[in-house]
Structure formats: structure tokens, C-alpha cells
């Protein structure tokens, strides 16, 4: 079964599944626990794939970037439970292949939407060598006409501070019903299939 929270899911078995395995292998030392832990860990690997795919049906992100945000707490024979967690850390906008234009930075954030231009945004490399998409945070009172100069040629009062721009929250996307509900069903199905695979494997060794 899947115990779901806002950004994570706990993978564990129901009483019927536990009873079936103990009925078949209950007299064989710690074999049931090994069967359960292997099945859960296999399911969690597939769950990570499903979570990443679901998010990327909405967010125009690369698989490797989304996968880095999905963390797995492995199951052991002693715990019989595992957890897949989606980090709340936002993806930097630089990971969406942005392009600098005269009006700002053009970037495609959503799969089913056109690329948008973020006004006044700019791409730059900061002192530590990090490349990103930024916006100026000028706290003074704007006067006169806007100054159209490269970021590194502006007076420091206008250049700093700056803030990095990030993509929309992947957690907010993931918990939408159209993404989350099919995901939860797929977890339950995966767990059922993976448990049966492990049972069949152990039974085949007894023939």
C-alpha cells in the first residue's frame, strides 16, 4: 500500500499480503523479511520513475534534473517499509535551456505552453563561476528612462543585489489530482507485481 503525504509516499504491505508470504515461507528463518524488502526496494525504484515521468508531463524539465530531486529511503528486512520523497528544492531556471533576448530571458517552462519572456531577466556568470538566470533587486525609487546596458557594465547600485530565478514548484505540480491519483494507483500495482515476482522466485528455488 502507499501512505501518501504532500511530497512523499511510504511503500509497505497490507495484512493480506503479509499473511500470504508468512503462510508460504513462515518457517524459513528470515526469508519472508528478505522477500518483502526486495519487493519494496524494486517498487520504489519504479515509483521514482513514475514520479519523475508524471512531473515531466507538465514541467518541461530534463529527466536527470527531476530525478535528482527524488530521494529514496531503502527498505531493510528489519523495517519492511520504504519511502520515496520529492524534494522541495526548486529547479533553477538555467536548467530549462533559457535564451537571452533584448527584452529579457526566453524560457519554456511547461510542456503544453509556449515559451515565455521574463522581462528584465538576464543570464550571467557570478564571481564563483555559477551561471544562472537572474533579476535585479533594486530597492531605490526608479527615475527617468530604463537603462539598457549589460549587467556587468552598470553601476554597482544597479547591479546588486540580484536574485536567481527558479521554475515553478515540482511539488505543487505533483500533488495535482491528474498527476497524483494515477501515480498512487501505479505504486499499488507495482508493489503487487513485485511481491508476486519475489514469491515466484523463491518457490522456483524449491523445485
Amino acid at each position: 500500500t502507499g501512505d501518501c503525504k504532500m511530497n512523499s509516499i511510504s511503500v509497505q504491505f497490507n495484512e493480506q499480503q503479509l499473511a500470504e508470504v508468512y503462510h508460504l515461507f513462515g518457517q524459513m528463518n528470515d526469508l519472508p523479511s528478505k522477500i518483502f524488502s526486495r519487493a519494496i526496494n524494486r517498487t520504489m525504484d519504479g515509483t521514482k520513475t513514475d514520479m519523475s515521468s508524471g512531473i515531466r508531463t507538465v514541467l518541461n524539465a530534463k529527466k536527470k534534473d527531476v530525478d535528482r530531486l527524488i530521494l529514496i529511503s531503502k527498505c531493510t528486512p528489519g523495517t519492511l517499509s520504504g519511502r520515496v520523497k520529492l524534494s522541495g528544492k526548486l529547479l533553477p531556471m538555467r536548467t530549462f535551456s533559457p535564451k537571452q533576448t533584448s527584452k529579457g530571458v526566453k524560457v519554456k517552462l511547461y510542456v503544453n505552453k509556449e515559451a515565455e519572456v521574463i522581462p528584465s531577466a538576464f543570464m550571467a556568470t557570478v564571481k564563483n563561476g555559477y551561471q544562472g538566470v537572474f533579476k535585479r533587486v533594486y530597492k531605490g525609487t526608479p527615475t527617468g528612462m530604463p537603462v539598457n546596458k549589460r549587467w556587468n557594465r552598470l553601476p554597482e547600485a544597479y547591479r546588486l543585489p540580484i536574485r536567481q530565478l527558479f521554475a515553478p514548484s515540482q511539488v505543487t505540480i505533483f500533488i495535482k489530482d491528474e498527476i497524483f491519483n494515477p501515480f498512487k494507483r501505479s505504486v499499488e500495482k507495482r508493489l503487487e507485481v513485485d511481491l508476486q515476482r519475489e514469491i515466484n522466485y523463491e518457490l522456483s528455488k524449491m523445485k
Side-chain angles (χ1 to χ4, degrees), residues 62-109:
K62 297 180 180 68
K63 181 179 183 299
K64 65 177 183 178
D65 294 325
V66 176
D67 286 355
R68 290 194 191 105
L69 301 175
I70 303 174
L71 311 175
I72 293 179
S73 297
K74 288 287 189 179
C75 171
T76 67
T79 60
L80 297 188
S81 179
R83 183 167 290 276
V84 181
K85 182 178 180 180
L86 178 60
S87 170
K89 184 178 180 181
L90 300 178
L91 286 171
M93 202 164 286
R94 70 171 189 155
T95 61
F96 289 77
S97 303
K99 295 181 180 179
Q100 184 72 61
T101 72
S102 59
K103 296 181 179 180
V105 171
K106 187 175 184 179
V107 62
K108 182 176 171 63
L109 296 174

Side-chain angles (χ1 to χ4, degrees), residues 151-192:
W151 173 73
N152 58 358
R153 295 180 182 176
L154 288 169
E156 185 171 347
Y158 292 89
R159 286 192 288 120
L160 301 171
I162 60 176
R163 63 181 176 88
Q164 184 176 193
L165 300 183
F166 295 88
S169 169
Q170 65 276 355
V171 174
T172 301
I173 292 171
F174 172 65
I175 62 175
K176 291 183 177 180
D177 288 344
E178 61 269 29
I179 302 297
F180 184 78
N181 291 339
F183 165 78
K184 184 178 179 181
R185 289 192 295 269
S186 74
V187 173
E188 294 170 349
K189 183 62 178 177
R190 278 185 180 277
L191 189 58
E192 180 183 336

